[in-house]
Amino acid sequence: MPESNRNADPAELAKFAALAQSWWDPKGPSKPLHDLNPLRLRYIEQAVSLAGKQALDVGCGGGILSEAMTRAGARVLGIDLSQAVLDVAELHALEGKVAVEYRAVAAEELAQERPAAFDVVTCMEMLEHVPDPAASIAALAALVKPGGAVIVSTLNRNPLSFAVAIIGAEYIARVLPRGTHEYLKFIRPSELARWGRKAGLELRDLTGIAYNPITRAFRLAPNTDVNYLAHFSRPAD
């Protein structure tokens, strides 16, 4: 797939490539990803047992979730369009002797190459960074096997999420670098559900992620006003 046709924003790729060397620093700019990862893994395992499953982590970055799913027993392929973060992911997996495979390939391109190849497909905090998130959802749907699970996380679009995720996280608490998010790219659950239906997926669950600014801890919660996770399934043939 020509780079000009890829569903990716070069500015967004550059933004995350700049964080590559600090990706695995639990106290660095990627600290929220480290803090969120156990929660995400728990949510995935509530949806599907990972042991022995073929899993795809789309927008894997430095491999925090990819490694966790591998340790949980899945055979994981992590894909990203930033070679800089993939280099970090591969080195960390090598040092930790974690058998994860990584590739620099777009989800849309992989969907043409390996349709219906994965038992579970994850896409965490990526949809709000691409030009066409609906196309990404369609690619995820094409990649998962009939009967398989698609798990995504993203940010809701409303005044509260703007206050919490941008003003609070980037400017006041400074737990994220400034400019990490663009409010207008946030995604309402109704939009996500509509894109999933159009792609042939069934929405099974929506769960919010709550953040305690005092303890700086995350937890799963029913309120989806800010961060949330979604579990889709592809109907079995």
Side-chain angles (χ1 to χ4, degrees):
M1 179 181 292
E3 288 193 17
S4 59
N5 294 334
R6 283 180 172 175
N7 184 16
D9 182 341
E12 293 286 342
L13 294 177
K15 183 191 303 181
F16 291 104
L19 300 174
Q21 296 306 313
S22 61
W23 207 279
W24 279 94
D25 180 357
K27 296 182 180 179
S30 296
K31 183 180 186 302
L33 297 180
H34 290 272
D35 293 343
L36 271 170
N37 201 54
L39 214 65
R40 291 172 173 171
L41 184 65
R42 188 186 319 153
Y43 184 82
I44 294 166
E45 292 191 300
Q46 288 174 357
V48 58
S49 172
L50 287 171
K53 296 296 193 303
Q54 194 76 30
L56 174 69
D57 188 15
V58 178
C60 65
I64 296 172
L65 179 61
S66 297
E67 285 201 15
M69 290 196 293
T70 302
R71 293 183 189 279
R75 299 184 299 275
V76 180
L77 170 62
I79 65 172
D80 203 287
L81 289 178
S82 171
Q83 189 60 54
V85 295
L86 288 177
D87 289 344
V88 169
E90 289 174 343
L91 179 59
H92 193 271
L94 181 65
E95 291 175 342
K97 298 181 180 179
V98 184
V100 189
E101 180 186 358
Y102 292 107
R103 282 186 61 186
V105 62
E108 293 83 358
E109 187 175 353
L110 187 65
Q112 295 178 7
E113 177 187 326
R114 297 180 63 182
F118 300 92
D119 300 294
V120 57
V121 176
T122 62
C123 183
M124 303 297 186
E125 302 295 331
M126 189 199 86
L127 294 174
E128 67 272 21
H129 296 286
V130 300
D132 188 352
S136 293
I137 292 293
L140 304 182
L143 284 157
V144 74
K145 295 177 181 178
V150 173
I151 313 288
V152 305
S153 70
T154 190
L155 283 151
N156 203 339
R157 189 174 71 255
N158 56 51
L160 179 61
S161 67
F162 176 80
V164 173
I166 295 182
I167 302 300
E170 297 184 20
Y171 287 84
I172 298 176
R174 297 182 182 179
V175 295
L176 292 172
R178 290 187 182 184
T180 297
H181 293 115
E182 295 180 38
Y183 172 70
L184 292 179
K185 291 185 176 181
F186 289 2
I187 299 166
R188 295 190 178 106
S190 59
E191 295 169 333
L192 186 67
R194 184 174 71 251
W195 299 335
R197 286 193 301 271
K198 186 176 180 181
L201 297 174
E202 295 178 353
L203 180 61
R204 304 290 296 275
D205 179 73
L206 283 173
T207 294
I209 299 173
Y211 178 70
N212 186 322
I214 298 175
T215 62
R216 295 196 172 188
F218 293 94
R219 62 181 175 84
L220 297 175
N223 191 321
T224 60
D225 283 347
V226 186
N227 295 75
Y228 64 96
L229 289 144
H231 169 205
F232 292 93
S233 64
R234 178 175 172 180
D237 292 340

